[in-house]
């Protein structure tokens, strides 16, 4: 036992020494609250530490009043992101529902002119519930039910995108049964996602499927769709994505006189303030407790720059050939909603350890897995002037995988203190499970400062609502 | 474009050749249905292919009648697993709620004598709803709310396990306020999970915390708890886990005259038919489409062998010192429920490709992530005598990560055909999210053949039940 303890201590001492050296070489760069239009409260001359403010609301007060964990949506940011995508008149936005399928948020986007990109029967049902007109719905995804396809064909939605010839054949057969012409598009790939996703341009699958579809009396081929898969950050990324699509348009025009009236360039635009941890960062984080640095937001195209660049590129290509301009469909997900939402959380437990104090949060991987794998700025909701301390921030689940921030420097934390995990507007709610804890609600702060619940916090009763309880539920005091 | 295509073709040809060679060296071993007390239907002389049967029910018929995806629980298997753990009279079972928190399943286990191991306020609430007596509840986890702790102290539950000194101090303070003595235990670690989980034996943290707790007038230290973390399969694994605990008992007895009356050895026993894919298997699977082989179930201790071995080991140690025997608390999770449940799924789409046809299932990583990372036997629910074909089985989500079986040989599949993913009784339901598709229901087949819903299949309305819909929901025809 004692030898083990000495060995452990020697190992820790070595790691500590290495850590000091590495930490000096990699000082963590953080982003300021202004990146999200947040600001610290003006000093009131009181003893209270300044609080982080959003549209006149102290986020700490929202956490106290509505409980944690809690998603807070900044609707003004949502509107600004959407307006950016809409700046190029040729471009129309179809929001990727799966990214953040909160009906209140979707309805807000629809009110401001966004359409719906859906990938399942459920999402199509939701778009209908929200009153999205069929011509503003695009239906993607590898698993379209017959029932959903029938509705889509009968109501002539904007486009049904087929991933492969077998799917195209199924759509054609359904359209024939209904005595309709289905508005379809080809989903193609050029080196990104493959497998079940799309027809290869390089291997001629796309050309063969187009030739087949153009001849079918029950298909109207309106669209060409491609989703890059890998994130787009720069003009070069965007150009590399568009070039093979435009080349295919030229080929198809030469061969069949066919051009898409809808050129759907998919999603994939990155969130400027979020970045996947690379292998070196991951190793430094987990082995040596070196906090990660923020990406430089200026290196990622803004929604406005992205849509304008896409429009210029496509318009130049089409106009130089004298072709009529297409509608450019954008399917932004993370870039539209990612940075318009944050997750408020609270410190439940503190355990002193070396080199980092372990702080147990009420948010863990079951509701915030992305924060483990990507850089997400973290703010304390009150600016205490206490000395800084290294923390490992973990979730509430009884499993060591439930670690969100392996290392992060913060002013000394007290039990009950609140924090904000930024950029929770992409894949946090859609990926969430009710693992031993209820899921957070979603509270919207509207541009005029009004607050409304978009999704209620899950209750214990909700968690067993679909269950056959063998005993009559008692009314419990908590 | 053409050069790219040739390069791609050359690469594929090379991979195909390598694949053939590797595949011969690693023929996939499967497990027979009898491993799960399933059997193929007796030939009726009809044309129909024999179906896979459970307690007189054709699983295919259940899938047709109740829809897919669908979890089916084999309650006889559940009962047999539990009885195994109960064979050693010193051992008592506290089921790890987080592993599969379906109230119907939990109630069934409680009816057959299992207690509850809970890790959150919600799980404690659920145990109360199910009428579990306080003395059959153990409260673990790194995030215990004050409210839950107060209830646990007031009702003298079997044990509250503290992970570290700070938590012990919080429990003591709450007990003092309530004028009670809290029944606590120390969670200790010996090289498995660390961080927020437990007091290190090697570094003396456990000894220091024990000395502190024994002196506190509001704490009654009844228990010693240790969860191995790494899976236990063999007697050696179990011995290696128990030895440091027993050594700590001897030390504590020598120093303080203290012995735990409850020795809680945690969970970690493996499912015999499930195994994490190792790095080599993963590489063969993903790069070369080589299907994985099943583990040999005989290499994993059965519940009966495990509990009897634990009892022998502990009893021998205690008896040789003339100490009174403790209760041995077992907290099985996966080993109790893992192989008593299966997930029925259906083929929604087929795409021909080389070297494997892509079959899109209605079950993907959002409800069956474990099947991506571990060996889970897969059965077609009808034994067609068609030629065998290599498949890549993917989920319905529009993302390439949604692949469950990168390679698996099956008799040629048709659209709509049904399959069973075995051993879905651990972490499938607790980890599940409603990503673009509703979550499956849980149907129990009782030992007498009776069928009952334990959890209803999620509906679209359920998925937006907590939402503020800006429009009144229409009544839709689907």
């Amino acid at each position: 036992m004692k030898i083990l303890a000495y060995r452990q201590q020697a190992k820790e001492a070595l790691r500590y020494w290495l850590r000091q050296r590495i930490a000096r070489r990699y000082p963590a760069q953080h982003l300021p609250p202004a990146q999200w239009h947040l600001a610290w409260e003006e000093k009131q001359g009181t003893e209270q530490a300044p609080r982080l403010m959003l549209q006149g609301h102290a986020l700490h007060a929202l956490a106290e009043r509505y409980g944690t964990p809690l998603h807070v949506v900044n609707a003004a940011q949502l509107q600004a992101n959407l307006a950016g995508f809409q700046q190029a008149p040729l471009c129309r936005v179809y929001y990727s529902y799966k990214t953040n399928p909160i009906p209140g948020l979707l309805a807000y986007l629809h009110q401001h002119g966004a359409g719906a990109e859906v990938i399942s029967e459920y999402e199509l049902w939701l778009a209908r519930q929200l009153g999205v007109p069929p011509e503003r719905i695009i239906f993607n995804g590898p698993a379209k039910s017959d029932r959903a396809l029938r509705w889509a064909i009968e109501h002539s939605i904007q486009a049904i995108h087929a991933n492969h010839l077998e799917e195209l054949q199924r759509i054609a057969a359904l359209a024939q049964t209904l005595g309709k012409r289905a508005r379809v598009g080809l989903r193609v790939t050029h080196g990104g996602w493959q497998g079940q996703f799309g027809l290869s341009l390089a291997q001629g699958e796309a050309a063969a499927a187009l030739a087949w579809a153009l001849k079918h009396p029950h298909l109207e081929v309106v669209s060409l769709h491609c989703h890059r898969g890998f994130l787009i950050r720069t003009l070069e990324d965007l150009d590399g994505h568009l070039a093979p699509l435009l080349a295919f348009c030229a080929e198809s025009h030469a061969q069949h006189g066919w051009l898409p009236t809808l050129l759907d360039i998919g999603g994939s635009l990155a969130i400027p303030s979020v970045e996947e941890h690379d292998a070196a960062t991951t190793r430094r984080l987990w082995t040596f407790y070196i906090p990660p640095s923020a990406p430089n937001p200026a290196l990622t195209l803004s929604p406005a720059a992205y849509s304008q660049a896409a429009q210029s590129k496509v318009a130049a290509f089409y106009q130089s050939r004298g072709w009529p301009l297409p509608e450019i469909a954008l399917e932004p997900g993370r870039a539209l909603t990612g940075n318009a939402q944050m997750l408020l959380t609270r410190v439940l437990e503190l355990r002193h350890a070396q080199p980092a104090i372990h702080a147990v949060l009420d948010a863990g991987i079951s509701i915030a897995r992305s924060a483990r794998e990507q850089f997400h700025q973290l703010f304390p909701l009150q600016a205490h002037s206490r000395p800084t301390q290294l923390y490992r921030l973990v979730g509430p689940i009884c499993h060591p995988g439930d670690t969100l921030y392996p290392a992060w420097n913060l002013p000394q934390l007290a039990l009950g203190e609140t924090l904000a995990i930024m950029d929770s507007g992409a894949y946090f709610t859609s990926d969430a499970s009710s693992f031993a804890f209820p899921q957070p609600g979603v509270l919207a702060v509207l541009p005029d400062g009004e607050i409304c619940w978009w999704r209620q916090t899950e209750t214990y009763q909700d968690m067993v609502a679909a269950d056959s309880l063998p005993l009559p539920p008692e009314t419990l005091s908590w």
Side-chain angles (χ1 to χ4, degrees), chain A residues 20-60:
Chain A
Q20 299 298 100
R21 287 180 63 96
I22 302 171
R24 271 199 295 272
R25 286 192 49 199
Y26 295 96
Q29 305 292 332
H30 284 193
L31 295 170
Q35 173 73 25
W36 293 270
H37 308 288
L38 303 176
W40 293 107
E41 198 172 24
E42 300 278 322
K43 274 268 179 193
Q44 307 291 326
T46 65
E47 296 276 301
Q48 217 195 358
R51 299 170 303 173
L52 203 57
M53 306 294 292
L54 167 65
Q55 312 277 16
H57 294 281
L59 293 168
H60 176 70

Side-chain angles (χ1 to χ4, degrees), chain A residues 176-348:
Chain A
Q176 190 155 12
T177 319
L178 295 167
K180 285 279 208 170
R181 261 185 109 193
R183 285 174 60 86
V184 297
L186 302 183
R187 176 167 180 165
V188 299
T189 68
H190 57 72
W193 294 2
Q194 304 196 351
Q196 66 269 43
F197 303 108
L199 296 145
S200 163
L201 289 177
Q203 289 169 46
E205 288 176 345
L210 179 65
W212 184 87
L214 286 174
K215 279 191 226 133
H216 200 289
H218 290 278
L219 296 180
E220 182 190 355
V221 192
V222 295
S223 146
L224 183 68
H225 172 276
C226 189
H227 185 66
R228 186 165 189 258
F230 308 115
L231 290 182
I232 292 173
R233 289 199 188 268
T234 65
L235 280 178
E236 292 67 42
D237 294 342
L238 180 60
D239 283 355
H241 176 50
L242 294 181
L245 296 188
L246 294 173
F248 183 73
C249 289
E251 273 177 46
S252 308
H253 186 260
Q255 203 161 358
H256 307 288
W258 177 85
L259 281 175
T261 52
L262 186 74
L263 186 64
D264 185 337
I265 65 172
S268 304
L269 183 61
I271 306 171
S273 44
V274 169
E275 193 175 51
E276 210 76 19
H277 294 317
D278 61 21
T281 304
T282 302
R283 202 184 141 79
R284 284 197 300 271
L285 245 175
W286 287 91
T287 310
F288 297 107
Y289 287 81
I290 310 291
S293 268
N296 177 355
L299 299 182
T300 299
L301 289 172
S302 69
Y306 167 86
S307 61
Q308 283 165 347
Q311 170 175 287
S312 309
K313 179 96 180 170
V314 172
F317 193 90
Y318 269 61
Q319 280 166 343
S320 70
R321 285 158 181 80
W323 299 342
L325 290 176
E327 172 186 325
I328 303 171
L330 310 180
E331 297 174 351
R334 65 187 79 226
L336 177 46
T337 56
N339 67 357
Q341 189 169 317
M342 65 197 99
L343 178 59
L344 308 188
T345 177
R346 183 182 298 275
V347 177
L348 297 179

